[in-house]
């Protein structure tokens, strides 16, 4: 089995125990240990305690470069605060303290969900009937210190894990006994969620509530003691407590199944149920799972499984870490971070210090105020704003929104090389895949304010002139076709000599839309200078950090690297056409309804007539009039 260059640290942090392991190769775990959270002041000391107890076969300690932490609470932004324990930390600060290159922190049930496709038959045990449909949505829940809930959605050849806090939905009693439990819980709790009952503390609460219902005075018992006495059939009250617990879990699982449409099955994890063994199989769980009234047949067809694999969460955390490292290697950083890396040579020395700070500590920058960012970079606050605007952002807030989207995005942006050995099917798939990937990347660059400003300029323009050269001439011609259909005076100029003549007759109130992939062509730069000299406004559709982007009044960023020396700029041209579509739809939406009706009332050709006369199938909406705006002219 291949080995990693360095061991990877994996952690599963709950409210009671922190489990650690080293992954030395794919799926190969070693030196697994479980530490009590109460024995350590914070997360860092727990990690260091684990690392200090490791034994190394090859002499001294080995450098650990990458780590993944699955933790029992929501993970949003840089700051992690545990729900059921007092630990909290900054992800980026912890990465630096531990000397790591990469630290990935995810919700523990998100990690467990990502492990499900990797589990073998021996890693799970089916409870009840049902047959999983593949590929379909999979549901996951499990009880421990709290109640974790997640799910998996099939996406192409992979899966998307849902990060949810579904354990906190309101508890709904099914019978008089459960109503009495709810009333007992209300004595001390304002909000009774399923987690309050389906968890370790929940077992203890149910035990006390049942004792109160039966008029008994009992000594408080811990969840492990209640469970053990129930399994040993030593105490009737403990046995009833466990029975209620399993029944409530069945209802919660059924609710999750119908909410997600989990035809791929419901999986039960956590620290409690896997330890119940055969008792769980004969408990009220499955009966309550199928107790769904009119939807009994629906849920009865959905299988339920208990996860028995010890390292399931580690497997999921490992998969997430591996995917993160693969994405970083293929395309380092998020879209905005990649944009910063490409722009470094164009930045001033002061802006470069801000760029280096963002690249080194992106999550800290995401949460820090502008004064702290300026202090950390050793620059003034206006320099921070100039840096953000140089990337096509309106300011720091807009920059942070794009940065947050990049750091938390789940869709990797990739590019697949087309080669001469590809079959026609492979070639088609790669071309379509590359185009789709590029569109996703441009979507992450879209800026609402700049699109609004560009749309406002076009609406207020006395005349609009579109300028482009070479392969991008068709984009200008397509734009002219669309805006002429609005009845707006416009033209398209693709010859350098005519472009300068056209720019020289522009005047105040006119708008020049300049389209260029690289934004460096001197002919188009001259057009911009001439247009602005005449008092016209300039909208640029081009790459960030280009001379054209810096000169324009409004810039719509389209960053896509394409080797035009070896093939035509197919993908980037499509991206520019799509930006024109965005502007056209934006203008149409803001014009009067009469103008939109007039737009769609012209003569039809053979290509458009069937689409307009076809009746809609049930459940499928017909295309709106605006849909015709995105049909490119030929």
């Amino acid at each position: 089995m291949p080995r990693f260059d360095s061991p990877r640290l994996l952690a599963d942090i709950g409210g009671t125990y922190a489990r650690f392991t080293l992954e030395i190769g794919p799926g190969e775990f070693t030196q697994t240990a479980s530490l009590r959270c109460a024995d350590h002041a914070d997360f860092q000391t727990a990690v260091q305690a684990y690392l200090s107890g490791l034994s190394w076969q090859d002499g001294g300690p080995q450098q650990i470069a990458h780590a993944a932490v699955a933790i029992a609470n929501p993970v949003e932004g840089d700051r992690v605060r545990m729900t059921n324990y007092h630990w909290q930390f900054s992800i980026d600060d912890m990465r630096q303290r531990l000397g790591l290159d990469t630290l990935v922190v995810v919700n523990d049930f998100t990690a467990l969900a990502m492990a499900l496709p990797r589990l073998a038959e021996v890693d799970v045990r089916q409870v009840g009937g049902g047959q999983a449909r593949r590929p379909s949505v999979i549901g996951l829940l499990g009880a421990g210190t709290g109640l974790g809930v997640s799910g998996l959605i099939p996406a192409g050849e992979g899966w998307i894990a849902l990060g949810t806090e579904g354990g906190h939905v309101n508890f709904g009693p099914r019978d008089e006994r459960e109503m009495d439990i709810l009333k007992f819980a209300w004595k001390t709790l304002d909000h009774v969620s399923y987690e309050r009952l389906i968890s370790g503390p929940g077992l203890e609460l149910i035990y006390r509530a049942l004792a109160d219902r039966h008029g008994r005075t009992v000594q408080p018992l811990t969840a492990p003691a209640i469970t053990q006495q129930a399994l040993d059939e030593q105490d009737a009250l403990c046995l009833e407590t466990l029975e209620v617990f399993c029944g409530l879990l069945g209802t919660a699982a059924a609710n999750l199944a119908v909410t997600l449409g989990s035809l791929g099955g419901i999986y039960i994890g956590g620290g409690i149920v896997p330890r119940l063994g055969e008792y769980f199989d004969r408990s009220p769980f499955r009966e309550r799972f199928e107790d769904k009234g009119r939807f009994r047949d629906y849920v009865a067809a959905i299988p339920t499984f208990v996860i028995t694999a010890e390292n399931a969460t580690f497997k999921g955390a490992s998969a997430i870490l591996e995917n993160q490292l693969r994405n970083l290697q293929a395309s380092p950083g998020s879209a905005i971070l990649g944009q910063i890396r490409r722009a470094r040579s164009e930045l001033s020395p002061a802006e470069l210090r801000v760029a280096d700070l963002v690249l080194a500590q992106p999550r800290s920058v995401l949460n820090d105020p502008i004064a702290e960012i300026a202090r950390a970079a050793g620059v003034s606050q206006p320099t921070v704003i100039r840096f953000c605007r140089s990337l096509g952002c309106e300011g720091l807030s807009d920059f942070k929104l794009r940065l947050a989207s990049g750091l938390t995005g789940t869709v990797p942006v990739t590019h697949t090389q087309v080669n001469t050995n590809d079959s026609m099917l492979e070639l088609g798939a790669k071309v379509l895949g590359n185009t789709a990937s590029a569109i996703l990347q441009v979507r992450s660059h879209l800026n609402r304010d700049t699109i609004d400003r560009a749309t406002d300029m076009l609406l207020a323009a006395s005349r609009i002139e579109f300028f482009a050269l070479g392969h991008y001439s068709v984009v200008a011609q397509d734009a002219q076709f669309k805006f002429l259909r609005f009845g707006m005076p416009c033209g398209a100029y693709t010859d350098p000599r005519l472009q300068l003549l056209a720019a020289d007759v522009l005047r105040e109130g006119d708008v020049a839309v300049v389209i260029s992939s690289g934004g460096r062509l001197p002919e188009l730069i001259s057009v911009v200078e001439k247009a602005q000299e005449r008092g016209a406004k300039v909208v640029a559709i081009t790459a960030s950090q280009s001379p054209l982007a810096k000169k324009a009044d409004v810039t719509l960023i389209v960053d896509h690297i394409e080797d035009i020396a070896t093939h035509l700029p197919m993908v980037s041209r499509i991206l520019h056409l799509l930006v024109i579509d965005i502007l056209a739809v934006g203008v149409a939406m803001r014009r009067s309804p009469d103008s939109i009706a007039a737009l769609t009332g012209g003569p039809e050709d053979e290509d458009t007539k069937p689409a307009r006369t076809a009746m809609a199938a049930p459940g499928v909406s017909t295309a709106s009039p605006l849909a015709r705006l995105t049909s490119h002219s030929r």
Side-chain angles (χ1 to χ4, degrees):
M1 180 178 291
R3 296 290 185 93
F4 297 137
D5 293 337
S6 64
R8 297 176 180 178
L9 174 65
L10 304 177
D12 179 11
I13 311 298
T16 306
Y17 289 96
R19 297 179 65 236
F20 298 94
T21 194
L22 291 182
E23 187 179 20
I24 58 178
E28 188 175 353
F29 307 114
T30 184
Q31 304 200 60
T32 302
S34 184
L35 308 181
R36 284 184 58 84
C37 295
D39 294 338
H40 304 278
D42 53 31
F43 173 70
Q44 182 181 351
T45 57
V47 175
Q48 291 173 336
Y50 168 74
L51 294 177
S52 64
L54 294 175
S55 59
W56 303 98
Q57 296 179 351
D58 301 328
Q62 298 181 29
Q63 176 65 36
I64 298 176
H66 310 295
V69 176
I71 194 164
N73 61 272
V75 180
E76 298 177 358
D78 177 68
R79 198 74 195 172
V80 176
R81 293 180 176 85
M82 293 187 66
T83 304
N84 294 315
Y85 203 59
H86 63 79
W87 286 356
Q88 57 179 299
F89 58 90
S90 157
I91 297 175
D92 195 63
D93 179 62
M94 188 58 62
R95 178 186 64 80
Q96 296 182 64
R97 287 172 179 265
L98 297 175
L100 299 169
D101 292 339
T102 308
L103 175 59
V104 176
V105 181
V106 297
N107 175 266
D108 59 341
F109 265 73
T110 300
L112 184 56
M114 289 302 293
L116 297 182
R118 296 165 176 79
L119 297 182
E121 290 186 9
V122 297
D123 294 326
V124 299
R125 184 180 77 253
Q126 184 166 351
V127 177
Q131 182 69 38
R133 300 186 192 177
R134 304 293 189 194
S136 295
V137 175
I138 296 173
L140 169 69
L141 73 167
T145 305
L147 177 63
V149 177
S150 184
L152 281 181
I153 299 175
E157 297 180 358
W159 298 85
I160 296 175
L162 299 176
T164 83
E165 288 299 316
H168 297 283
V169 298
N170 288 5
F171 164 62
R174 180 68 175 82
D175 52 33
E176 289 296 330
R177 180 171 63 179
E178 292 176 8
M179 179 62 75
D180 289 341
I181 293 173
L182 176 60
K183 291 178 180 178
F184 181 86
W186 273 338
K187 294 178 181 180
T188 55
L189 300 172
D190 293 330
H191 174 247
V192 181
S193 65
Y194 270 99
E195 180 178 88
R196 294 292 193 180
L197 301 174
I198 309 175
S199 61
L203 268 170
E204 299 167 7
L205 177 57
I206 295 171
Y207 178 76
R208 297 194 303 272
L210 291 176
D212 180 77
R213 184 173 191 264
H214 296 309
R216 289 180 53 183
T217 301
V218 295
Q219 294 296 321
L221 289 180
T222 64
I226 294 169
T227 303
Q228 193 59 52
Q229 291 191 33
L231 295 178
D232 295 340
E233 299 184 357
Q234 295 177 352
D235 185 276
L237 187 60
C238 290
L239 194 59
E240 185 182 5
T241 299
L242 197 57
E243 175 187 287
V244 170
F245 174 89
C246 293
L248 295 182
L249 183 60
T251 297
N255 289 343
L256 180 63
V258 296
T259 299
L260 295 182
S262 304
L263 301 180
I266 293 289
Y267 287 76
I268 311 297
I272 297 177
V273 172
R275 293 190 174 96
L276 299 182
E278 294 181 358
Y279 169 83
F280 187 72
D281 298 2
R282 62 177 187 272
S283 76
F285 166 78
R286 183 69 193 189
E287 180 183 351
R288 284 288 293 272
F289 179 79
E290 296 183 8
D291 185 14
K292 264 289 181 240
R294 293 174 297 166
F295 267 69
R296 174 179 291 275
D297 292 342
Y298 180 87
V299 293
I302 297 175
T304 49
F305 304 91
V306 175
I307 300 170
T308 57
E310 290 186 4
N311 295 324
T313 302
F314 288 149
K315 290 181 179 180
S318 170
I320 293 171
L321 176 59
E322 177 63 28
N323 186 64
Q324 181 80 358
L325 295 175
R326 189 183 302 115
N327 289 343
L328 289 172
Q329 183 179 10
S331 180
S334 66
I336 188 70
L337 295 181
Q339 187 181 350
I340 293 171
R341 289 187 179 93
R342 292 191 296 271
R344 291 181 85 257
S345 61
E346 305 288 340
L347 299 175
S348 68
E351 292 171 344
L352 188 58
R353 290 198 291 273
V354 182
D356 290 339
L357 174 67
V358 174
L359 293 173
Q361 303 178 31
R363 292 189 180 274
S364 293
V365 171
L366 189 62
N367 291 277
D368 288 342
I370 186 172
E372 183 60 27
I373 295 171
R375 186 200 62 78
V379 300
S380 65
Q381 294 184 28
T383 298
V384 176
I385 300 300
R386 284 198 302 273
F387 165 77
C388 296
R389 289 176 176 169
S390 72
L391 298 169
C393 302
E394 289 300 299
L396 181 59
S397 297
D398 180 42
F399 171 78
K400 285 186 174 184
L401 285 174
R402 288 175 56 186
L403 179 60
S405 174
L407 292 178
T408 59
T410 58
V411 181
V413 178
T414 59
H415 187 88
T416 305
Q417 182 63 44
V418 176
N419 58 64
T420 55
N421 295 325
D422 289 335
S423 67
M424 294 307 297
L425 180 61
E426 291 170 330
L427 187 144
K430 286 184 177 181
V431 169
L432 291 173
N434 290 341
T435 303
S437 178
I439 291 171
L440 289 174
Q441 188 171 8
V442 169
R443 184 179 67 177
S444 69
H445 287 172
L446 288 178
N447 181 289
R448 176 177 178 177
D449 290 336
T450 55
I451 292 175
D452 284 344
R453 288 172 55 199
T455 304
D456 289 340
M457 283 186 183
L458 295 176
L459 281 168
S462 303
R463 183 174 181 82
I464 306 171
E465 305 288 22
F466 298 95
F467 299 87
L469 290 172
H471 298 299
Y472 297 89
S473 298
V474 66
V475 181
Q477 293 164 352
D478 184 75
Q480 179 192 26
F481 172 78
K482 286 182 168 62
F483 282 84
L484 281 175
R485 293 175 67 187
F486 288 115
M488 301 176 71
C490 62
Y493 298 93
T494 59
D495 179 86
R497 292 167 296 181
L498 290 177
Q499 286 178 342
L500 275 179
L501 292 173
D504 197 39
V505 297
L506 289 172
R507 58 187 178 182
E508 187 174 350
D510 294 341
V511 173
V513 179
V514 183
I515 304 158
S516 173
S517 178
R520 299 179 182 277
L521 293 176
E523 297 92 339
L524 293 178
I525 299 298
S526 298
V527 166
V528 173
E529 293 171 347
K530 178 63 70 174
Q532 291 176 331
E533 178 185 320
R534 299 283 300 172
K537 297 294 184 182
V538 175
V539 175
I541 305 175
T542 188
S544 62
Q545 299 302 319
S546 64
L548 176 57
K550 294 178 179 179
K551 284 181 174 292
D553 297 290
V554 176
T555 301
L556 302 178
I557 300 298
V558 179
D559 278 337
H560 179 67
I561 300 174
E562 202 163 33
D563 185 4
I564 60 174
T566 57
H567 54 81
L568 296 177
M570 299 177 292
V571 174
S572 54
R573 189 169 57 211
I574 290 173
L575 300 179
H576 285 74
L577 285 167
L578 290 174
V579 173
I580 292 295
D581 281 349
I582 292 171
L583 294 176
V585 172
V587 168
M589 292 292 290
R590 294 191 186 184
R591 288 170 67 90
S592 66
D594 292 341
S595 66
I596 297 176
L599 176 66
T600 59
E604 298 172 336
D605 57 30
E606 291 303 314
D607 290 337
T608 60
K609 185 174 181 178
R612 297 193 60 199
T613 56
M615 294 181 63
V620 180
S621 62
T622 55
S624 69
L626 295 178
R628 297 185 67 195
L629 294 177
T630 57
S631 300
H632 297 291
S633 59
R634 290 188 294 274

